[in-house]
């Protein structure tokens, strides 16, 4: 695992996260009541101080009531305002020291306001979901909210027994006492705070395909009335899993789940080991199948191999976009070359002022970043040839599994698989703004 952590604050979200320490593990025990939208929680956070003594540190947490805080069992001084929990331990923490923070909090969770609307915890008509990208995690738990700070998670959620709880990772136990049920999930793989997903609702659970010995269990959690449409729309997901393991390497987690809410979502949202879809993505005609492929591909690109900071987001979205094209090509749809040509025609009609290497916070979810990111991967494939290109992708995941990366690291990685350095490719596609000519695969119509 190669970890490329940013040395300082994230350039797009400098107020989020604290680079002076890193978290090793979160243990979260939550109690949620859907009717009054009431959440109470206890977090036990195991962390390690950085290279300097810590006389104080910060956690990100939205507007909740704080009941108790302990650092290594001792009561610290703290303040909580503006989404920041500032903690001053009774005794400074020495450089490199392991320490434990315990936080008790409660309140009515709500999304964090952003330029893209509310992020994080969203109360539904009958349940809740969490979709945190990029900075919504503090809407429901205290965290060091920066993508490079990846940790393992133990998540325990207690709700009324009529509701199911779905999260990424492996379900360890489900225990019913009186009228409530406690669901305990373990996500052992390093996980960015925004990638901890959660859905609470009245779901019917189905197994997608037969994983067989050593296969990846894939479950769908959907409202019962959507099951017929879901069964068709997600029928080819096991084939996607098989293809992506061939092209990208073994699936990086223990299981994969998809959850569908009764409400509509603007776009599906990936979490680690879990993707969340709205009812509008289920039509019984496979109308959103490319999005099914896109969210699955994020398990390799974005979740397993994560970005060191939000400037690098094309390494998530461009790769997932190209995975859509690869699925289409290998499943009888349009070829990657045909889809690249369509994307190129579209981009040629739009402003050419976006640079993948640093799109700016305002443009980090711009459709142009997705399309140009996919085209960049296609250009790399054209330059390397298929054999070297797919060896390069598998090597990328293998070398950086569980870690974080930057564009510069990817450029160096690609060069190792090229007979000759792909002169000018990244300067034009990643660091430049003007749209380069359409890359063309040899012997492809």
């Amino acid at each position: 695992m190669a970890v490329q952590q940013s040395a300082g604050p994230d350039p797009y979200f400098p107020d989020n996260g604290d680079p002076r320490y890193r978290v090793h593990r979160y243990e979260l025990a939550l109690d949620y009541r859907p009717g009054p939208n009431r959440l109470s929680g206890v977090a036990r956070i195991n962390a390690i101080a950085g290279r300097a003594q810590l006389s104080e540190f910060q956690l990100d947490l939205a507007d909740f009531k704080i009941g108790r805080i302990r650092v290594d069992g001792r009561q610290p001084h703290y303040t909580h305002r503006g989404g920041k929990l500032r903690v001053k331990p009774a005794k400074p923490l020495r450089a490199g020291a392991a320490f434990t923070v315990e936080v008790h909090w409660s309140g009515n969770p709500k999304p964090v306001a952003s330029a893209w609307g509310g992020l994080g915890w969203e109360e539904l008509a009958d349940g809740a979901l969490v979709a945190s990208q990029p900075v919504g995690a503090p809407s429901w738990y205290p965290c060091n909210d920066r993508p490079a700070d990846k940790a393992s998670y133990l998540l325990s959620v207690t709700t009324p027994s009529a509701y199911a709880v779905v999260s990424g990772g492996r379900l360890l136990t489900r225990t019913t006492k009186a009228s409530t049920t406690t669901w305990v999930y373990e996500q052992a793989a390093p996980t960015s705070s925004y990638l901890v997903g959660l859905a609470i609702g009245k779901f019917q659970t189905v197994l997608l395909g037969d994983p067989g010995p050593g296969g990846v269990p894939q479950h769908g959690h959907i409202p019962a009335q959507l099951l017929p449409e879901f069964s068709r729309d997600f029928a080819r997901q096991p084939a996607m899993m098989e293809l992506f393991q061939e092209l990208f390497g073994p699936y990086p987690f223990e299981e994969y789940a998809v959850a569908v809410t009764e409400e509509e979502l603007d776009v599906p949202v990936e979490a680690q080991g879990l993707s969340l879809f709205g009812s509008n993505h289920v039509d019984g005609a496979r109308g959103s199948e490319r999005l099914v492929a896109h969210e699955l591909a994020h398990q390799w690109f974005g979740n397993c191999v994560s970005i060191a900071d939000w400037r690098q987001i094309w390494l998530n979205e461009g790769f997932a976009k190209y995975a859509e094209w690869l699925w289409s090509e290998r499943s009888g749809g349009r070829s990657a070359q045909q889809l690249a040509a369509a994307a190129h025609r579209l981009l040629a009609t739009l402003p050419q002022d976006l640079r993948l290497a640093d799109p700016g916070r305002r443009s980090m979810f711009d459709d142009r970043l997705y399309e140009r990111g996919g085209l960049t991967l296609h250009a790399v494939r054209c330059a390397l040839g298929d054999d070297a290109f797919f060896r390069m992708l598998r090597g990328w995941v293998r070398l950086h599994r569980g870690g974080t990366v930057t564009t510069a690291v990817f450029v160096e990685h690609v060069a190792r698989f090229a007979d000759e350095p792909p002169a000018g490719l990244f300067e034009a596609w990643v660091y430049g703004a003007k749209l380069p000519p359409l890359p063309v695969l040899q012997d492809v119509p």
Side-chain angles (χ1 to χ4, degrees):
M1 182 182 77
V3 177
Q4 303 286 331
Q5 281 219 36
S6 297
D10 190 289
Y12 289 180
F13 300 97
D15 295 333
N16 279 62
D18 188 337
R20 296 173 294 180
Y21 71 96
R22 61 185 177 90
V23 177
H24 170 67
R25 182 173 176 82
Y26 292 87
E27 295 181 355
L28 306 176
L30 308 179
D31 187 293
Y32 181 64
R33 304 302 159 121
N37 185 38
R38 184 72 178 175
L39 177 69
S40 60
V42 177
R44 185 177 177 86
I45 303 169
N46 298 320
I48 300 171
R51 296 178 179 177
Q53 176 179 278
L54 274 185
S55 59
E56 61 96 22
F57 60 90
Q58 300 177 3
L59 289 162
D60 299 287
L61 180 64
D63 186 20
F64 289 97
K65 178 183 178 182
I66 303 298
R68 160 180 158 142
I69 297 180
R70 295 289 184 270
V71 177
D72 290 335
R74 301 179 66 183
Q75 184 172 337
H77 295 286
Y78 72 89
T79 61
H80 182 216
R81 64 176 66 94
K84 279 290 185 183
L85 184 57
R86 293 175 171 85
V87 182
K88 185 176 182 179
K91 181 180 179 181
L93 302 165
R94 73 178 191 277
F99 64 99
T100 301
V101 185
E102 183 181 306
V103 181
H104 297 233
W105 76 102
S106 62
N108 300 106
K110 61 183 179 181
V112 173
S114 81
W116 307 280
L119 302 172
W121 190 283
E122 183 175 348
E123 181 187 9
L124 303 178
D126 195 18
L129 67 83
V130 168
S132 293
Q133 187 179 20
V135 289
S139 68
W140 63 291
Y141 73 100
C143 57
N144 191 13
D145 192 31
R146 51 202 312 262
D149 195 9
K150 303 176 71 171
S152 67
Y153 282 78
L154 183 71
L155 178 62
S156 169
V157 183
T158 300
T159 61
S161 295
Y163 295 87
V165 175
V166 180
S167 187
R170 185 162 59 97
L171 178 62
L172 298 182
T173 61
R174 184 178 64 190
T175 307
T176 298
K177 293 181 179 179
S179 60
T180 65
T181 299
T182 300
W183 306 67
V184 180
Y185 285 88
E186 170 82 26
Q187 178 55 271
T191 308
S192 300
S193 52
Y194 81 94
L195 288 171
V196 184
L198 188 66
I200 299 173
K202 296 173 180 176
F203 300 122
Q204 184 163 337
T205 299
V206 297
L207 181 66
L208 288 164
D210 180 2
V216 180
Q218 300 174 64
H219 289 92
H221 306 273
I222 62 271
Q225 70 272 18
L226 294 178
L227 182 57
E229 292 84 358
F230 176 89
S231 298
R232 175 169 172 77
D233 292 335
F234 286 77
R236 301 210 290 180
Q237 184 179 281
M240 292 177 191
M241 178 71 78
E242 187 175 342
L243 174 64
F244 290 170
Q245 291 195 97
E246 172 194 334
L247 300 181
F248 309 147
Y251 178 71
F253 309 116
E254 291 186 80
E255 302 182 13
Y256 181 58
V258 294
V260 178
T261 75
E262 289 189 321
E263 300 186 24
E264 295 189 356
L265 300 180
D266 290 340
V267 293
V269 181
E270 77 273 10
Q272 190 142 310
L274 169 69
S275 294
L276 302 168
F277 293 81
S279 59
N280 51 312
H281 301 123
V282 177
D283 61 8
R286 297 210 303 256
S288 296
E289 188 172 82
R290 71 171 186 85
L291 299 175
V292 176
H294 184 104
E295 303 309 324
L296 176 59
H298 271 311
Q299 303 305 319
W300 287 264
F301 306 113
N303 300 7
C304 175
V305 180
S306 301
I307 51 177
D309 61 60
W310 288 107
R311 287 175 301 184
Q312 327 292 330
I313 189 171
W314 86 273
L315 293 171
N316 294 358
E317 301 303 345
F319 282 57
K321 171 59 70 173
Y322 200 61
E324 295 178 30
W325 299 357
L326 292 171
W327 167 249
S328 175
E329 180 172 86
R330 295 288 289 265
S331 64
R334 287 189 290 173
S335 69
Q337 184 63 52
Q338 290 169 323
L339 290 164
H344 195 273
R345 286 192 300 271
L346 172 64
L347 289 175
T349 68
L350 300 173
Q352 296 179 28
D353 58 359
L354 182 144
R355 291 175 171 82
L356 286 184
D358 190 359
R361 185 165 92 167
R362 182 175 297 178
S363 298
M364 58 187 287
F365 297 114
D366 193 304
D367 286 345
R368 293 175 296 164
L369 181 137
Y370 292 62
E371 301 294 343
R372 186 170 179 133
L375 275 166
T376 300
L377 269 293
H378 192 65
V380 172
R381 181 182 177 188
C382 293
L384 297 183
D386 272 16
D387 180 66
F389 175 73
F390 289 110
R391 282 192 291 112
M392 181 276 295
L393 283 185
R394 289 189 291 272
W396 179 245
V397 176
R398 184 176 66 253
L399 286 170
H400 300 288
R401 182 186 182 103
T404 56
V405 293
T406 64
T407 295
V409 171
F410 181 66
V411 172
E412 293 173 0
H413 179 77
V414 169
R416 300 188 189 105
F417 293 83
D419 293 333
E420 299 178 3
L425 188 155
F426 290 105
E427 287 78 3
W429 281 102
V430 175
Y431 296 103
K434 182 181 177 181
L435 182 65
L438 174 68
V440 179
L441 280 173
Q442 299 302 312
D443 304 322
V444 171

